[in-house]
Amino acid sequence: MPHFPVSLVEASSAGLIALVFDKDFHIVNSSGKIVASTVEGLGDDVKLAAGSKKGSVKSVAFSPAGDLFAVCTMDKGLYIYSTASWSIVREAETPKRANAVVFDPSGAYVLAADKFGDVVRLTAAPATDGDSEKPVVLLGHVSILCDIEFTHGDRPYVLTCDRDEKLRVSKYPNSYNIQSFCLGHTAFVTSVATAKFAVNNAVTGSGDGTVRLWDVESGELLQTVVLGDILAQYRESEQDQEKADRFGVLRVRSIEETNEFAVLVEDIPAVIVFPFANGALGTPQVIDIARAPTDMTITSDRLVVSYVPAAEGVQDAALVSVLKNADGQYVADDELNGALSNVHTLETNKVPAIQSIFVWGSKNFIERTNKGDQDDDE
Amino acid sequence: MADQTMADSNQPKLPQKRYFRQRAHVNIFNDIRLDYPLTPNDEDWSKLYPAYFRAPTTDTLGENKRPSSPAPEEQPAGQARKDQLAQVEFADIGCGYGGLLVALAPLYPNTLMVGMEIRTKVANYLQQRVEALRGFQHALLDKSQRGEHVDLETPLEAGAEELHDNGEIDRLVPGHYENIAAMRMNCQNCRKLFILFADPHFKKRKHKARIISTTMLAEYAYVLRPGGIIYMITDVKDLFDWNEEHMEKHELFERIPEEELKDDPAVPCVCNSTEEGKKVARNKGNKYLACFRRIEDPFEKE
């Protein structure tokens, strides 16, 4: 029987990596061993994490200190785990399904960005008896939110990107006060990354086939990288012209160790790594990976990539693999990949089809009959 | 006399409202095809305000065609700086058929105002109306240049709505309606923002579609410069209470006391000049007015 693919990967500052598949997740340590999981019976040294067991996991985040782990599910559940006990220390229902979740820089609050355009905020600390705090709205777009991130300056800004081409920069916690709008993308903005080495900048990825560098205070567009120029070789055999010209960014992440930004593109079996120097993105490295990816996270100088299911009949295809930085070049981390090859997800009769980001990113999505996307509200 | 006939056939015509009726509600959460600029710098304002903006040329595209410095404070009519430095400072959100803009145009002849209306037909009506009004003004200007008598002297009064709020077609007005325009849209550095007789969305589940909400107010605050004013009026008490509650709760707005509003020339227009406002007056309905000033963020002062 086939296994669920890993849909999301997220690393903590303490070196743990969350591998999310359907309604469950494994937590692996820096040597690739499972230390906690929502799946029972993996061994004595694996802590059992209570699962929500209802909706599929839509987004996850670790707190800056790595002591808490937040999980948002398709059925609007928001669960905060202690990474020491892997018990749920607080749970709440978000008003709408959250597409992205993040802790604020102090780790005191968790923020969920939802598909209705609102960002809600909830205390992160463990709930005491009778504490049934509900998330409160912090800010809102009239759009679908795709990602949320904080900048790393003395006065952090909260960045939210949406389906309608925008990146909004809001003050924090007084987020009713908008600092700027970063305008220039021509399609949905899927992912935003910030870095300690570039406190005034944000890098966004979009369905318009570009990666853009912004000055967050002014909203000024500083640089536009056209992915088609870098990735043309991967589309040479593509017959469908529309698909051949389409590059949709799945994820942008910063690599703090090496002052780089890594970009992952839907359907492209490669990771693009841009050096960041003198306030600009430099000439990128393009590193081949096994298959089309689903997500990517960074743990110190390593890139962890998860994959779409392998073609039928392919045995022992990796769920995730790791690239490490060897003298500036990214190469396969054979040791960690070996350990991760022992990590399996649950079996399933039918692997759920992974929906292209261009389906919901299309402006006609809401008017379309809700095929494949069961609307859980109203 | 051939000349005269020519002039008559070239007479501008005001559009007739009956050809532009559209139902009052639009579901704003549907994906609506809106034609909007990628960034504020990409907007070609010359289409809306030809007297104030040059059409963009390729070398100025995205650079100089948008105003970059604030327009000067009110100047006497006829001395407007009709160059690329003008900027839109008043926005009437949900302007409908444009009664307010047409009434305000001569009162603030050197201020550019935009009416934003989501109903396509209604927005088209207003733009045609503005263009027709400009046409009448041009004809009058031509006439005065030929030495014929044109009434330039009688001053306009803010309260004399029946005089000018349908638009002057037989006398010159300051600004010549070159300063107003309609956009089918849902601008920064605004001085005044008007939200007049908005769709009340009575049903509770539709409240989120109301034009004033805590999260939308952040966007209005963003486009208003500190000191800028939101004028809000409605005939629906329930909507007024909702708006008032949300506005008063918001950190970036403060209520303007009624005494201060007495001297504001825009207030009579707000109450009486819109088509909705007239309808309410005809039906002897109540009008609830509240105005709020955009203030500096108290949190940032700490």
Side-chain angles (χ1 to χ4, degrees):
Chain A
M1 272 216 289
H3 293 260
F4 281 108
V6 172
S7 54
L8 297 168
V9 286
E10 183 77 33
S12 82
S13 56
L16 295 177
I17 305 162
L19 307 176
V20 175
F21 50 99
D22 193 45
K23 295 170 187 165
D24 290 284
F25 60 82
H26 294 319
I27 304 294
V28 300
N29 63 15
S30 54
S31 42
K33 194 177 157 307
I34 299 179
V35 293
S37 177
T38 53
V39 178
E40 284 181 66
L42 292 178
D44 293 340
D45 50 352
V46 175
K47 283 185 184 151
L48 184 66
S52 70
K53 292 296 176 195
K54 281 194 287 179
S56 304
V57 175
K58 181 69 183 164
S59 55
V60 296
F62 281 99
S63 61
D67 58 331
L68 298 170
F69 179 61
V71 171
C72 287
T73 61
M74 292 292 275
D75 60 346
K76 300 186 266 189
L78 168 54
Y79 305 89
I80 301 176
Y81 292 81
S82 149
T83 60
S85 65
W86 288 101
S87 58
I88 293 171
V89 295
R90 183 182 286 273
E91 63 179 279
E93 188 173 281
T94 52
K96 303 282 169 183
R97 190 187 78 211
N99 282 340
V101 63
V102 71
F103 284 84
D104 76 355
S106 69
Y109 292 95
V110 62
L111 285 75
D114 71 35
K115 65 164 199 156
F116 213 75
D118 287 342
V119 172
V120 295
R121 191 171 89 146
L122 183 73
T123 303
T128 49
D129 285 344
D131 177 356
S132 57
E133 189 185 317
K134 288 193 168 60
V136 288
V137 174
L138 188 73
L139 64 95
H141 296 216
V142 185
S143 185
I144 296 169
L145 290 179
C146 305
D147 201 5
I148 181 166
E149 202 57 72
F150 277 91
T151 59
H152 298 274
D154 297 337
R155 268 297 302 273
Y157 294 111
V158 58
L159 310 184
T160 40
C161 54
D162 70 24
R163 196 210 52 172
D164 293 86
E165 306 105 32
K166 293 193 298 295
L167 173 69
R168 171 173 155 177
V169 180
S170 313
K171 298 186 184 201
Y172 184 82
N174 50 331
S175 305
Y176 52 80
N177 194 338
I178 300 171
Q179 176 67 29
S180 68
F181 285 102
C182 299
L183 303 172
H185 277 298
T186 57
F188 53 93
V189 187
T190 32
S191 182
V192 53
T194 56
K196 296 189 182 80
F197 58 80
V199 291
N200 296 321
N201 298 109
V203 178
T204 52
S206 159
D208 67 4
T210 67
V211 167
R212 297 183 197 238
L213 175 71
W214 308 90
D215 179 285
V216 292
E217 267 181 28
S218 64
E220 191 188 347
L221 173 61
L222 302 174
Q223 193 180 352
T224 301
V225 179
V226 178
L227 293 169
D229 297 347
I230 301 167
L231 300 172
Q233 52 177 334
Y234 294 94
R235 294 289 204 216
E236 276 166 6
S237 60
E238 179 61 59
Q239 299 300 315
D240 182 344
Q241 195 56 44
E242 193 193 336
K243 229 178 148 186
D245 296 338
R246 204 167 74 174
F247 298 92
V249 174
L250 287 176
R251 187 71 82 183
V252 185
R253 300 265 198 187
S254 60
I255 312 172
E256 295 285 355
E257 296 258 323
T258 48
N259 293 16
E260 292 171 306
F261 285 96
V263 175
L264 203 63
V265 180
E266 179 178 274
D267 234 12
I268 301 279
V271 178
I272 313 160
V273 179
F274 294 93
F276 182 83
N278 305 320
L281 300 169
T283 310
Q285 280 185 57
V286 181
I287 307 114
D288 281 333
I289 52 176
R291 295 193 302 284
T294 55
D295 197 11
M296 169 184 61
T297 191
I298 314 295
T299 174
S300 68
D301 62 344
R302 283 170 164 78
L303 310 180
V304 181
V305 179
S306 57
Y307 296 106
V308 301
E312 246 175 274
V314 177
Q315 296 295 311
D316 301 324
L319 292 165
V320 287
S321 68
V322 183
L323 296 165
K324 64 174 179 185
N325 189 327
D327 302 324
Q329 298 296 312
Y330 286 90
V331 296
D333 183 340
D334 294 329
E335 198 181 335
L336 195 47
N337 285 339
L340 287 169
S341 67
N342 296 320
V343 173
H344 300 288
T345 57
L346 289 175
E347 288 186 332
T348 171
N349 289 323
K350 192 174 173 293
V351 177
I354 293 170
Q355 196 183 52
S356 166
I357 53 175
F358 288 94
V359 173
W360 61 258
S362 159
K363 292 252 178 160
N364 298 320
F365 185 53
I366 296 176
E367 281 167 319
R368 200 178 295 176
T369 49
N370 284 326
K371 246 187 248 167
D373 182 70
Q374 289 301 319
D375 204 290
D376 48 7
D377 309 311
E378 299 186 345
Chain B
M1 274 301 148
D3 194 17
Q4 189 66 48
T5 334
M6 281 285 284
D8 279 352
S9 66
N10 284 339
Q11 269 296 317
K13 277 199 187 81
L14 283 168
Q16 287 180 283
K17 230 184 256 174
R18 61 193 157 110
Y19 297 123
F20 295 88
R21 298 259 180 240
Q22 197 171 353
R23 49 192 297 263
H25 309 281
V26 171
N27 183 352
I28 57 153
F29 295 113
N30 276 347
D31 274 338
I32 302 163
R33 293 263 162 224
L34 285 174
D35 184 19
Y36 55 93
L38 197 55
T39 75
N41 290 333
D42 293 309
E43 178 66 25
D44 179 7
W45 292 104
S46 69
K47 284 184 184 146
L48 294 176
Y49 308 95
Y52 285 84
F53 296 92
R54 286 186 289 272
T57 52
T58 42
D59 53 314
T60 59
L61 205 65
E63 280 182 339
N64 298 329
K65 67 180 165 178
R66 249 302 279 254
S68 52
S69 63
E73 286 302 304
E74 295 304 326
Q75 294 174 350
Q79 288 179 24
R81 297 215 321 236
K82 297 186 177 183
D83 59 20
Q84 310 300 84
L85 296 174
Q87 65 176 12
V88 176
E89 292 184 296
F90 291 7
D92 183 4
I93 300 179
C95 60
Y97 295 95
L100 177 80
L101 289 174
V102 172
L104 286 178
L107 296 180
Y108 299 88
N110 302 311
T111 299
L112 297 191
M113 314 175 198
V114 67
M116 299 196 266
E117 171 59 49
I118 201 162
R119 291 168 292 170
T120 322
K121 283 182 168 181
V122 178
N124 290 344
Y125 165 85
L126 177 53
Q127 190 55 30
Q128 286 183 32
R129 180 180 179 184
V130 169
E131 281 162 17
L133 288 171
R134 288 175 185 164
F136 286 115
Q137 295 288 315
H138 290 165
L140 289 165
L141 283 171
D142 289 348
K143 218 169 145 187
S144 87
Q145 273 167 10
R146 290 199 302 267
E148 295 175 42
H149 173 73
V150 175
D151 182 2
L152 277 169
E153 301 304 317
T154 321
L156 287 163
E157 290 167 48
E161 55 167 297
E162 66 282 0
L163 264 182
H164 58 264
D165 67 353
N166 286 323
E168 292 300 318
I169 59 171
D170 48 13
R171 64 183 216 162
L172 283 169
V173 298
H176 312 302
Y177 302 110
E178 296 288 358
N179 54 334
I180 57 175
M183 233 177 178
R184 183 172 176 247
M185 268 311 283
N186 294 351
C187 6
Q188 184 166 16
N189 226 359
C190 275
R191 281 161 54 203
K192 294 186 194 294
L193 212 128
F194 302 94
I195 300 176
L196 313 180
F197 303 101
D199 189 334
H201 290 291
F202 287 108
K203 291 177 189 157
K204 190 147 193 269
R205 58 178 286 268
K206 293 293 259 176
H207 283 179
K208 63 188 183 213
R210 285 178 168 177
I211 197 153
I212 290 185
S213 66
T214 307
T215 53
M216 279 306 291
L217 282 173
E219 302 205 16
Y220 300 145
Y222 178 72
V223 299
L224 275 172
R225 66 172 80 148
I229 300 170
I230 291 190
Y231 296 82
M232 182 265 286
I233 192 168
T234 174
D235 57 318
V236 179
K237 185 69 168 59
D238 178 45
L239 178 66
F240 178 81
D241 293 342
W242 164 281
N243 288 352
E244 188 181 43
E245 182 195 331
H246 283 79
M247 299 271 334
E248 283 186 345
K249 250 187 348 207
H250 203 280
E251 302 282 350
L252 297 179
F253 290 100
E254 70 176 17
R255 182 87 175 249
I256 301 175
E258 266 175 49
E259 311 84 77
E260 272 182 56
L261 295 175
K262 285 186 192 124
D263 303 325
D264 187 333
V267 166
C269 297
V270 164
C271 298
N272 304 317
S273 293
T274 66
E275 284 74 7
E276 276 302 310
K278 285 181 193 143
K279 203 160 93 188
V280 173
R282 275 200 305 276
N283 298 334
K284 303 204 169 18
N286 289 319
K287 294 182 194 174
Y288 305 96
L289 170 79
C291 304
F292 293 84
R293 185 177 287 117
R294 163 74 156 94
I295 54 171
E296 299 279 4
D297 188 349
F299 190 88
E300 295 291 312
K301 283 184 194 154
E302 284 164 20

